[in-house]
Amino acid sequence: MARVSQEHLDARRRQILDGAARCFARDGFHAASMQDVLKEVGLSAGAVYRYFSGKEDLIDAIAREAVGGVREAFERAACSSPPPTPDVLIGRVARTLFGGEADGRGGLDRRAYAGLIVQVWSETLRSERLAATLGEAYEGLRVSWAELVGVYRASGTLAADVPDEHIARTLIATAQGFIVQLAMFGDAGPEVLENGLRGLMSMDQQKAS
């Protein structure tokens, strides 16, 4: 009975988060009220407040899931040995998060989901709680990327005399830029990111210098 009860609680929490994500993606964090969220999820205030203390708590939970999804997608994509090149790796991450159907994104299409992530980023400028959540996640991702760049360098794949952290930050910025383009214009698929990186990696440095 306890296991079934926990499954019910988990399913209800999932229902609330998915509904809130749809509501925030459509109306924005500030325009959407808790009443809007209650209407979207079809539950009473008491049912929702059992899991979340208010809108800020919901936003924080959604942000944690979003950045956790990015970290998990990266770790899965990087687990092969030897690790894939950056174009393949980031392409895999983008496909995990934004490819295929909306399963795992609360029913949001990929453009709406990208828009929700951009909203989360912008919200960190006013919310210390959210800034701390994303700062911790970003630091973990940056360290993981720097370690991976170190593997590239040790294997001889990367010869440029550039600090690992600088490359890691640039790769993260590339992924962030892709998400912004997808949110704003809706015309950037994972293949665009992967192909663009592959093209840049194919440049002849001797001819370019």
Side-chain angles (χ1 to χ4, degrees), residues 8-102:
H8 173 77
L9 293 174
D10 291 344
R12 181 54 56 86
R13 187 177 189 277
R14 178 79 270 146
Q15 176 187 353
I16 295 168
L17 280 176
D18 288 350
R22 292 192 300 271
C23 190
F24 294 145
R26 181 180 64 244
D27 301 328
F29 286 145
H30 297 290
S33 66
M34 278 303 292
Q35 288 300 318
D36 295 325
V37 173
L38 296 177
K39 183 178 179 180
E40 182 72 31
V41 300
L43 295 173
S44 68
V48 173
Y49 285 117
R50 178 180 182 181
Y51 297 86
F52 302 98
S53 62
K55 192 165 75 169
E56 292 294 326
D57 203 22
L58 274 168
I59 293 172
D60 187 73
I62 289 171
R64 287 181 181 276
E65 283 205 342
V67 296
V70 173
R71 182 77 179 270
E72 183 180 342
F74 168 78
E75 290 174 350
R76 281 204 304 268
C79 67
S80 56
S81 182
T85 52
D87 58 323
V88 174
L89 178 59
I90 294 183
R92 287 180 184 175
V93 173
R95 284 186 174 85
T96 298
L97 296 173
F98 302 105
E101 301 299 323

Coordinates of all heavy atoms in Angstrom, one line a residue, residues 8-102:
H8 N 1.2 7.3 -6.2 CA 0.1 8.3 -6.4 C 0.7 9.7 -6.1 O 0.4 10.7 -6.8 CB -1.0 8.0 -5.4 CG -2.1 9.0 -5.4 ND1 -3.0 9.2 -6.4 CD2 -2.4 10.0 -4.5 CE1 -3.8 10.2 -6.2 NE2 -3.4 10.7 -5.0
L9 N 1.4 9.9 -5.0 CA 2.0 11.2 -4.6 C 2.9 11.7 -5.7 O 2.9 12.9 -6.1 CB 2.7 11.1 -3.3 CG 1.8 10.8 -2.1 CD1 2.7 10.6 -0.9 CD2 0.9 11.9 -1.8
D10 N 3.8 10.8 -6.2 CA 4.7 11.2 -7.3 C 3.9 11.6 -8.6 O 4.3 12.6 -9.2 CB 5.6 10.1 -7.6 CG 6.6 9.8 -6.5 OD1 6.8 10.6 -5.6 OD2 7.2 8.7 -6.5
A11 N 2.9 10.9 -8.9 CA 2.1 11.2 -10.1 C 1.4 12.5 -9.9 O 1.3 13.3 -10.9 CB 1.1 10.1 -10.4
R12 N 0.9 12.8 -8.8 CA 0.2 14.1 -8.5 C 1.2 15.2 -8.6 O 0.9 16.3 -9.2 CB -0.5 14.0 -7.1 CG -1.2 15.3 -6.8 CD -2.3 15.7 -7.8 NE -3.2 14.6 -8.1 CZ -4.3 14.4 -7.4 NH1 -4.6 15.2 -6.4 NH2 -5.2 13.5 -7.8
R13 N 2.4 15.0 -8.0 CA 3.4 16.1 -8.1 C 3.8 16.4 -9.6 O 4.0 17.5 -10.0 CB 4.6 15.7 -7.3 CG 5.7 16.8 -7.2 CD 6.9 16.3 -6.3 NE 7.8 17.4 -6.0 CZ 8.7 17.8 -6.9 NH1 8.9 17.2 -8.0 NH2 9.5 18.8 -6.6
R14 N 3.9 15.3 -10.3 CA 4.2 15.4 -11.8 C 3.1 16.1 -12.5 O 3.4 17.0 -13.4 CB 4.4 14.0 -12.3 CG 4.7 13.9 -13.8 CD 6.2 14.2 -14.1 NE 6.4 15.6 -14.4 CZ 7.5 16.2 -14.0 NH1 8.5 15.6 -13.4 NH2 7.7 17.5 -14.3
Q15 N 1.9 15.8 -12.2 CA 0.8 16.5 -12.8 C 0.8 18.0 -12.5 O 0.6 18.8 -13.4 CB -0.5 15.9 -12.2 CG -1.8 16.6 -12.7 CD -3.1 16.1 -12.0 OE1 -3.0 15.2 -11.2 NE2 -4.2 16.8 -12.3
I16 N 1.1 18.4 -11.3 CA 1.2 19.8 -11.0 C 2.3 20.5 -11.7 O 2.2 21.6 -12.3 CB 1.4 20.0 -9.4 CG1 0.1 19.4 -8.7 CG2 1.6 21.4 -9.1 CD1 0.3 19.3 -7.2
L17 N 3.5 19.9 -11.7 CA 4.7 20.5 -12.4 C 4.4 20.6 -13.9 O 4.8 21.7 -14.4 CB 5.9 19.6 -12.1 CG 6.6 19.8 -10.8 CD1 7.8 18.9 -10.6 CD2 7.1 21.3 -10.6
D18 N 3.9 19.6 -14.5 CA 3.6 19.7 -15.9 C 2.6 20.8 -16.2 O 2.8 21.5 -17.2 CB 3.1 18.3 -16.4 CG 4.2 17.3 -16.5 OD1 5.4 17.6 -16.3 OD2 3.9 16.1 -16.7
G19 N 1.6 20.9 -15.4 CA 0.6 21.9 -15.7 C 1.1 23.3 -15.5 O 0.8 24.2 -16.2
A20 N 1.9 23.5 -14.4 CA 2.5 24.7 -14.1 C 3.5 25.1 -15.3 O 3.6 26.3 -15.7 CB 3.3 24.7 -12.8
A21 N 4.3 24.2 -15.8 CA 5.2 24.4 -16.9 C 4.4 24.9 -18.1 O 4.9 25.9 -18.8 CB 6.0 23.2 -17.2
R22 N 3.3 24.3 -18.4 CA 2.5 24.7 -19.6 C 2.0 26.2 -19.3 O 2.0 27.0 -20.2 CB 1.3 23.8 -19.8 CG 1.7 22.4 -20.3 CD 0.5 21.6 -20.7 NE -0.5 21.4 -19.7 CZ -0.5 20.4 -18.8 NH1 0.4 19.5 -18.9 NH2 -1.5 20.3 -17.9
C23 N 1.5 26.4 -18.1 CA 1.0 27.7 -17.8 C 2.1 28.8 -17.9 O 1.9 29.9 -18.5 CB 0.4 27.7 -16.4 SG -0.5 29.1 -15.9
F24 N 3.3 28.5 -17.3 CA 4.3 29.5 -17.4 C 4.9 29.7 -18.8 O 5.3 30.8 -19.1 CB 5.5 29.1 -16.4 CG 5.1 29.1 -15.0 CD1 5.6 28.1 -14.1 CD2 4.2 30.0 -14.4 CE1 5.3 28.1 -12.7 CE2 3.9 30.1 -13.1 CZ 4.4 29.1 -12.3
A25 N 5.0 28.6 -19.5 CA 5.5 28.7 -20.9 C 4.5 29.6 -21.7 O 5.0 30.3 -22.6 CB 5.6 27.3 -21.5
R26 N 3.3 29.5 -21.5 CA 2.3 30.2 -22.3 C 2.1 31.7 -21.8 O 2.1 32.6 -22.7 CB 0.9 29.5 -22.1 CG -0.2 30.2 -22.9 CD -1.5 29.4 -22.7 NE -2.0 29.5 -21.4 CZ -2.1 28.4 -20.6 NH1 -1.8 27.2 -21.0 NH2 -2.5 28.5 -19.3
D27 N 2.1 31.9 -20.5 CA 1.8 33.2 -20.0 C 3.0 34.0 -19.4 O 2.9 35.2 -19.2 CB 0.7 33.1 -18.9 CG -0.6 32.5 -19.5 OD1 -0.9 32.7 -20.7 OD2 -1.3 31.8 -18.7
G28 N 4.1 33.3 -19.1 CA 5.2 33.9 -18.4 C 5.1 33.8 -16.9 O 4.0 33.7 -16.4
F29 N 6.2 33.8 -16.3 CA 6.3 33.6 -14.8 C 5.5 34.7 -14.1 O 4.8 34.4 -13.1 CB 7.7 33.6 -14.3 CG 8.5 32.3 -14.6 CD1 9.8 32.3 -14.9 CD2 7.8 31.1 -14.6 CE1 10.5 31.2 -15.2 CE2 8.5 29.9 -14.9 CZ 9.9 30.0 -15.2
H30 N 5.6 35.9 -14.6 CA 5.0 37.0 -13.8 C 3.6 37.2 -14.1 O 2.8 37.6 -13.3 CB 5.8 38.3 -14.1 CG 7.2 38.2 -13.6 ND1 7.6 38.2 -12.3 CD2 8.4 38.1 -14.3 CE1 8.9 38.1 -12.1 NE2 9.4 38.1 -13.3
A31 N 3.2 37.0 -15.4 CA 1.8 37.2 -15.7 C 0.9 36.0 -15.2 O -0.3 36.3 -14.9 CB 1.6 37.3 -17.3
A32 N 1.5 34.9 -15.1 CA 0.7 33.7 -14.6 C 0.5 33.8 -13.1 O 1.5 34.0 -12.4 CB 1.3 32.4 -15.0
S33 N -0.7 33.6 -12.6 CA -0.9 33.6 -11.2 C -1.1 32.2 -10.7 O -1.3 31.2 -11.5 CB -2.2 34.4 -10.8 OG -3.3 33.7 -11.4
M34 N -1.1 32.0 -9.4 CA -1.4 30.6 -8.8 C -2.8 30.2 -9.2 O -3.0 29.0 -9.4 CB -1.2 30.6 -7.3 CG 0.2 30.5 -6.9 SD 1.0 29.0 -7.5 CE 0.2 27.7 -6.6
Q35 N -3.8 31.1 -9.3 CA -5.1 30.7 -9.8 C -5.1 30.2 -11.2 O -5.8 29.2 -11.5 CB -6.0 31.9 -9.7 CG -6.4 32.4 -8.3 CD -7.2 31.2 -7.6 OE1 -8.0 30.5 -8.2 NE2 -6.8 31.0 -6.3
D36 N -4.2 30.7 -12.1 CA -4.0 30.2 -13.4 C -3.4 28.8 -13.4 O -3.9 27.9 -14.1 CB -3.1 31.1 -14.2 CG -3.7 32.5 -14.5 OD1 -4.9 32.6 -14.6 OD2 -2.9 33.5 -14.5
V37 N -2.5 28.6 -12.5 CA -1.9 27.3 -12.3 C -2.9 26.3 -11.9 O -3.0 25.1 -12.4 CB -0.7 27.3 -11.4 CG1 -0.2 25.9 -11.1 CG2 0.4 28.2 -11.9
L38 N -3.7 26.6 -10.9 CA -4.8 25.7 -10.4 C -5.8 25.4 -11.5 O -6.2 24.2 -11.6 CB -5.5 26.4 -9.2 CG -4.7 26.7 -8.0 CD1 -5.6 27.5 -6.9 CD2 -4.1 25.5 -7.3
K39 N -6.1 26.3 -12.3 CA -7.1 26.1 -13.4 C -6.4 25.1 -14.4 O -7.1 24.2 -14.9 CB -7.5 27.4 -14.0 CG -8.5 27.2 -15.2 CD -8.8 28.6 -15.7 CE -9.8 28.4 -16.9 NZ -10.2 29.7 -17.5
E40 N -5.1 25.3 -14.7 CA -4.4 24.5 -15.7 C -4.3 23.0 -15.2 O -4.5 22.1 -16.0 CB -3.0 25.1 -15.9 CG -2.2 24.3 -16.9 CD -2.7 24.6 -18.4 OE1 -3.2 25.7 -18.6 OE2 -2.6 23.7 -19.2
V41 N -4.0 22.8 -13.9 CA -3.8 21.5 -13.4 C -5.2 20.8 -13.0 O -5.2 19.6 -12.8 CB -2.8 21.4 -12.3 CG1 -1.5 21.9 -12.7 CG2 -3.3 22.2 -11.1
G42 N -6.2 21.6 -12.8 CA -7.5 21.1 -12.5 C -7.6 20.5 -11.1 O -8.3 19.5 -10.8
L43 N -6.8 21.2 -10.2 CA -6.8 20.7 -8.8 C -7.2 21.9 -7.8 O -7.1 23.0 -8.2 CB -5.4 20.2 -8.4 CG -5.0 18.9 -9.1 CD1 -3.5 18.6 -8.8 CD2 -5.9 17.7 -8.8
S44 N -7.5 21.5 -6.6 CA -7.8 22.5 -5.6 C -6.6 23.2 -5.1 O -5.5 22.6 -5.2 CB -8.6 21.9 -4.5 OG -7.8 21.0 -3.7
A45 N -6.7 24.3 -4.5 CA -5.6 25.0 -3.9 C -4.9 24.1 -2.8 O -3.7 24.0 -2.7 CB -6.0 26.3 -3.3
G46 N -5.7 23.4 -2.0 CA -5.2 22.6 -1.0 C -4.3 21.5 -1.5 O -3.3 21.1 -1.0
A47 N -4.8 20.9 -2.7 CA -4.1 19.8 -3.3 C -2.7 20.2 -3.8 O -1.7 19.5 -3.7 CB -4.9 19.2 -4.4
V48 N -2.7 21.5 -4.4 CA -1.4 22.0 -4.9 C -0.5 22.4 -3.8 O 0.7 22.1 -3.8 CB -1.7 23.1 -5.9 CG1 -0.3 23.8 -6.3 CG2 -2.4 22.6 -7.1
Y49 N -1.0 23.1 -2.8 CA -0.2 23.6 -1.7 C 0.4 22.5 -0.8 O 1.3 22.8 0.0 CB -0.9 24.7 -0.9 CG -1.1 26.0 -1.6 CD1 -2.3 26.5 -2.0 CD2 0.1 26.7 -2.0 CE1 -2.4 27.7 -2.6 CE2 0.0 27.9 -2.6 CZ -1.3 28.4 -3.0 OH -1.4 29.6 -3.6
R50 N -0.2 21.4 -1.0 CA 0.4 20.2 -0.2 C 1.8 19.9 -0.7 O 2.7 19.4 0.0 CB -0.5 19.0 -0.4 CG 0.0 17.7 0.3 CD -0.9 16.6 0.1 NE -0.4 15.4 0.8 CZ -1.0 14.2 0.7 NH1 -2.2 14.1 0.1 NH2 -0.5 13.2 1.4
Y51 N 2.1 20.2 -2.0 CA 3.4 19.9 -2.6 C 4.3 21.1 -2.8 O 5.5 21.0 -2.7 CB 3.1 19.3 -4.0 CG 2.4 18.0 -4.0 CD1 1.0 17.9 -4.0 CD2 3.1 16.8 -3.9 CE1 0.3 16.7 -3.9 CE2 2.4 15.6 -3.9 CZ 1.0 15.5 -3.9 OH 0.4 14.3 -3.8
F52 N 3.6 22.3 -3.0 CA 4.4 23.5 -3.3 C 3.8 24.7 -2.5 O 2.6 24.8 -2.4 CB 4.4 23.8 -4.8 CG 4.9 22.7 -5.6 CD1 4.1 21.8 -6.2 CD2 6.3 22.5 -5.8 CE1 4.5 20.8 -7.0 CE2 6.8 21.5 -6.6 CZ 5.9 20.6 -7.2
S53 N 4.7 25.4 -1.9 CA 4.3 26.5 -1.0 C 3.7 27.7 -1.8 O 3.0 28.6 -1.2 CB 5.4 27.0 -0.1 OG 6.5 27.5 -0.9
G54 N 4.0 27.8 -3.1 CA 3.6 28.9 -3.9 C 4.3 29.0 -5.2 O 4.9 28.0 -5.6
K55 N 4.1 30.1 -5.9 CA 4.6 30.2 -7.3 C 6.1 30.1 -7.3 O 6.7 29.5 -8.2 CB 4.1 31.5 -8.0 CG 4.4 31.5 -9.4 CD 3.6 32.6 -10.1 CE 4.2 34.0 -9.9 NZ 3.6 35.0 -10.7
E56 N 6.8 30.8 -6.4 CA 8.3 30.7 -6.3 C 8.8 29.3 -6.1 O 9.8 28.9 -6.7 CB 8.8 31.6 -5.2 CG 8.6 33.1 -5.4 CD 9.4 33.7 -6.6 OE1 10.5 33.2 -6.8 OE2 8.9 34.6 -7.2
D57 N 8.1 28.5 -5.3 CA 8.5 27.1 -5.1 C 8.3 26.3 -6.4 O 9.1 25.5 -6.7 CB 7.6 26.6 -4.0 CG 8.3 25.4 -3.3 OD1 9.5 25.3 -3.4 OD2 7.6 24.6 -2.7
L58 N 7.2 26.6 -7.1 CA 7.0 25.9 -8.4 C 8.1 26.3 -9.4 O 8.6 25.4 -10.1 CB 5.6 26.3 -8.9 CG 4.4 25.4 -8.5 CD1 3.1 26.1 -8.9 CD2 4.5 24.0 -9.0
I59 N 8.4 27.5 -9.5 CA 9.4 28.0 -10.5 C 10.8 27.3 -10.1 O 11.5 26.9 -11.0 CB 9.5 29.5 -10.5 CG1 8.2 30.1 -11.0 CG2 10.7 30.0 -11.3 CD1 8.2 31.6 -10.9
D60 N 11.1 27.3 -8.8 CA 12.4 26.7 -8.4 C 12.4 25.2 -8.8 O 13.4 24.7 -9.3 CB 12.6 26.8 -6.9 CG 13.9 26.4 -6.5 OD1 14.9 27.1 -6.8 OD2 14.0 25.3 -5.8
A61 N 11.3 24.5 -8.6 CA 11.2 23.1 -8.9 C 11.4 22.8 -10.4 O 12.1 21.9 -10.9 CB 9.9 22.5 -8.4
I62 N 10.7 23.7 -11.2 CA 10.8 23.6 -12.7 C 12.2 23.9 -13.1 O 12.8 23.2 -14.0 CB 9.8 24.5 -13.3 CG1 8.4 24.0 -13.1 CG2 10.1 24.7 -14.8 CD1 7.3 25.0 -13.6
A63 N 12.9 24.9 -12.5 CA 14.2 25.2 -12.9 C 15.2 24.1 -12.6 O 16.1 23.7 -13.4 CB 14.7 26.5 -12.1
R64 N 15.0 23.5 -11.4 CA 15.9 22.3 -11.0 C 15.7 21.2 -12.0 O 16.7 20.5 -12.4 CB 15.5 21.9 -9.6 CG 16.0 22.8 -8.5 CD 15.7 22.3 -7.1 NE 16.1 23.2 -6.1 CZ 17.4 23.2 -5.6 NH1 18.3 22.4 -6.1 NH2 17.7 24.1 -4.7
E65 N 14.5 20.9 -12.4 CA 14.3 19.8 -13.4 C 14.9 20.2 -14.7 O 15.5 19.3 -15.4 CB 12.8 19.6 -13.6 CG 12.1 18.8 -12.5 CD 10.9 18.1 -12.9 OE1 10.3 18.4 -14.0 OE2 10.5 17.2 -12.2
A66 N 14.8 21.4 -15.2 CA 15.3 21.8 -16.5 C 16.8 21.7 -16.5 O 17.4 21.0 -17.4 CB 14.9 23.2 -16.8
V67 N 17.5 22.2 -15.5 CA 19.0 22.1 -15.5 C 19.4 20.7 -15.2 O 20.5 20.3 -15.7 CB 19.6 23.1 -14.5 CG1 19.3 24.6 -14.8 CG2 19.1 22.9 -13.0
G68 N 18.7 20.0 -14.4 CA 19.0 18.6 -14.1 C 18.9 17.8 -15.4 O 19.7 16.9 -15.6
G69 N 17.9 18.1 -16.2 CA 17.8 17.4 -17.5 C 18.9 17.6 -18.4 O 19.4 16.7 -19.1
V70 N 19.4 18.9 -18.4 CA 20.6 19.2 -19.2 C 21.8 18.4 -18.7 O 22.6 17.8 -19.5 CB 20.9 20.7 -19.2 CG1 22.2 21.0 -19.9 CG2 19.8 21.4 -19.9
R71 N 22.0 18.4 -17.4 CA 23.2 17.7 -16.9 C 23.1 16.2 -17.1 O 24.1 15.5 -17.5 CB 23.2 17.9 -15.3 CG 24.4 17.3 -14.6 CD 25.6 18.1 -14.8 NE 26.8 17.5 -14.1 CZ 27.1 17.8 -12.9 NH1 26.4 18.7 -12.2 NH2 28.1 17.2 -12.3
E72 N 21.9 15.6 -17.0 CA 21.7 14.2 -17.2 C 21.9 13.8 -18.7 O 22.6 12.8 -19.0 CB 20.3 13.8 -16.8 CG 20.0 12.3 -16.9 CD 18.6 11.9 -16.4 OE1 18.0 12.7 -15.7 OE2 18.2 10.8 -16.8
A73 N 21.4 14.7 -19.6 CA 21.6 14.4 -21.0 C 23.1 14.5 -21.4 O 23.6 13.7 -22.1 CB 20.8 15.4 -21.8
F74 N 23.8 15.4 -20.8 CA 25.2 15.5 -21.0 C 26.0 14.3 -20.5 O 26.8 13.7 -21.2 CB 25.8 16.8 -20.4 CG 27.3 16.8 -20.4 CD1 28.0 17.1 -21.5 CD2 28.0 16.5 -19.2 CE1 29.4 17.1 -21.5 CE2 29.4 16.5 -19.2 CZ 30.1 16.8 -20.3
E75 N 25.7 13.9 -19.3 CA 26.4 12.7 -18.7 C 26.1 11.4 -19.5 O 27.0 10.6 -19.7 CB 26.0 12.5 -17.3 CG 26.5 13.6 -16.4 CD 26.0 13.6 -15.0 OE1 25.0 12.8 -14.7 OE2 26.5 14.3 -14.1
R76 N 24.9 11.3 -20.0 CA 24.6 10.1 -20.8 C 25.3 10.2 -22.2 O 25.9 9.2 -22.6 CB 23.1 10.0 -21.1 CG 22.3 9.4 -20.0 CD 21.0 8.8 -20.5 NE 20.2 9.8 -21.2 CZ 19.3 10.6 -20.7 NH1 19.0 10.5 -19.4 NH2 18.6 11.4 -21.5
A77 N 25.4 11.3 -22.8 CA 26.0 11.5 -24.1 C 27.5 11.3 -24.0 O 28.2 10.9 -24.9 CB 25.7 12.8 -24.7
A78 N 28.1 11.7 -22.8 CA 29.5 11.6 -22.7 C 30.1 10.3 -22.1 O 31.3 10.2 -22.0 CB 30.0 12.8 -21.8
C79 N 29.2 9.4 -21.8 CA 29.6 8.2 -21.1 C 30.4 7.2 -22.0 O 31.0 6.3 -21.5 CB 28.4 7.5 -20.5 SG 27.3 6.8 -21.6
S80 N 30.3 7.3 -23.3 CA 31.0 6.4 -24.2 C 32.5 6.6 -24.1 O 33.0 7.7 -23.8 CB 30.5 6.5 -25.6 OG 30.7 7.8 -26.1
S81 N 33.3 5.6 -24.4 CA 34.8 5.7 -24.4 C 35.4 5.2 -25.7 O 35.1 4.1 -26.1 CB 35.3 4.9 -23.2 OG 36.7 5.1 -23.1
P82 N 36.1 6.0 -26.4 CA 36.5 7.4 -26.1 C 35.2 8.3 -26.3 O 34.3 8.0 -27.0 CB 37.5 7.8 -27.1 CG 37.2 6.9 -28.3 CD 36.7 5.6 -27.7
P83 N 35.2 9.5 -25.6 CA 34.0 10.4 -25.7 C 33.9 10.9 -27.1 O 34.9 11.1 -27.8 CB 34.4 11.5 -24.7 CG 35.9 11.5 -24.6 CD 36.3 10.0 -24.7
P84 N 32.7 11.2 -27.5 CA 32.4 11.7 -28.9 C 33.0 13.1 -29.0 O 33.2 13.8 -28.0 CB 30.9 11.7 -29.0 CG 30.4 11.7 -27.6 CD 31.4 11.0 -26.8
T85 N 33.2 13.5 -30.2 CA 33.7 14.9 -30.4 C 32.6 15.9 -30.0 O 31.4 15.5 -29.9 CB 34.1 15.1 -31.9 OG1 33.0 14.7 -32.7 CG2 35.3 14.3 -32.3
P86 N 33.0 17.2 -29.8 CA 32.0 18.1 -29.3 C 30.7 18.3 -30.2 O 29.6 18.4 -29.6 CB 32.8 19.4 -29.3 CG 34.2 19.0 -29.0 CD 34.3 17.7 -29.8
D87 N 30.9 18.2 -31.5 CA 29.7 18.3 -32.3 C 28.7 17.2 -32.1 O 27.5 17.4 -32.0 CB 30.1 18.4 -33.8 CG 30.9 17.2 -34.3 OD1 31.7 16.7 -33.4 OD2 30.7 16.7 -35.4
V88 N 29.2 16.0 -32.0 CA 28.4 14.8 -31.8 C 27.8 14.9 -30.4 O 26.6 14.6 -30.2 CB 29.2 13.5 -32.0 CG1 28.3 12.3 -31.6 CG2 29.6 13.4 -33.4
L89 N 28.6 15.2 -29.4 CA 28.2 15.2 -28.0 C 27.0 16.3 -27.8 O 26.0 15.9 -27.2 CB 29.4 15.6 -27.1 CG 29.1 15.7 -25.6 CD1 28.5 14.4 -25.1 CD2 30.3 16.1 -24.8
I90 N 27.3 17.5 -28.3 CA 26.2 18.5 -28.1 C 25.0 18.2 -28.9 O 23.9 18.5 -28.5 CB 26.8 19.9 -28.4 CG1 27.9 20.3 -27.4 CG2 25.7 21.0 -28.4 CD1 28.5 21.7 -27.6
G91 N 25.2 17.6 -30.1 CA 24.1 17.2 -30.9 C 23.2 16.1 -30.2 O 22.0 16.2 -30.2
R92 N 23.9 15.2 -29.5 CA 23.1 14.2 -28.7 C 22.3 14.8 -27.6 O 21.2 14.5 -27.3 CB 24.1 13.1 -28.1 CG 24.7 12.2 -29.2 CD 25.6 11.2 -28.5 NE 26.3 10.3 -29.5 CZ 27.2 9.5 -29.2 NH1 27.6 9.3 -27.9 NH2 27.7 8.7 -30.1
V93 N 23.0 15.8 -26.9 CA 22.3 16.5 -25.8 C 21.1 17.2 -26.3 O 20.0 17.2 -25.8 CB 23.2 17.4 -25.1 CG1 22.5 18.3 -24.1 CG2 24.4 16.7 -24.4
A94 N 21.2 17.9 -27.4 CA 20.1 18.7 -28.0 C 19.0 17.8 -28.5 O 17.8 18.1 -28.3 CB 20.7 19.5 -29.2
R95 N 19.3 16.6 -29.0 CA 18.3 15.7 -29.4 C 17.5 15.1 -28.2 O 16.3 14.9 -28.3 CB 18.9 14.6 -30.3 CG 19.3 15.0 -31.7 CD 19.7 13.8 -32.5 NE 19.9 14.3 -33.9 CZ 21.0 14.8 -34.4 NH1 22.1 15.0 -33.5 NH2 21.1 15.2 -35.6
T96 N 18.3 14.9 -27.2 CA 17.6 14.3 -26.0 C 16.6 15.3 -25.4 O 15.5 15.0 -25.0 CB 18.7 14.0 -24.9 OG1 19.6 13.0 -25.4 CG2 18.0 13.5 -23.6
L97 N 17.0 16.6 -25.4 CA 16.1 17.6 -24.8 C 15.1 18.2 -25.8 O 14.0 18.5 -25.4 CB 17.0 18.8 -24.3 CG 18.0 18.5 -23.2 CD1 18.9 19.7 -23.0 CD2 17.3 18.1 -21.9
F98 N 15.4 18.3 -27.1 CA 14.5 19.0 -28.0 C 14.2 18.2 -29.2 O 13.5 18.7 -30.1 CB 15.2 20.3 -28.4 CG 15.6 21.2 -27.3 CD1 16.9 21.4 -26.9 CD2 14.6 21.9 -26.6 CE1 17.2 22.2 -25.8 CE2 14.9 22.8 -25.6 CZ 16.2 22.9 -25.2
G99 N 14.6 17.0 -29.3 CA 14.2 16.2 -30.5 C 13.0 15.3 -30.2 O 12.5 15.2 -29.1
G100 N 12.4 14.8 -31.2 CA 11.3 13.9 -31.1 C 10.0 14.5 -30.5 O 9.8 15.7 -30.7
E101 N 9.2 13.7 -29.8 CA 8.0 14.2 -29.3 C 8.2 15.0 -28.0 O 9.3 15.1 -27.5 CB 7.0 13.0 -29.1 CG 6.7 12.3 -30.3 CD 6.0 13.1 -31.4 OE1 5.2 14.0 -31.0 OE2 6.3 13.0 -32.6
A102 N 7.1 15.5 -27.4 CA 7.2 16.3 -26.2 C 7.2 15.5 -24.9 O 7.2 16.0 -23.8 CB 6.0 17.3 -26.2

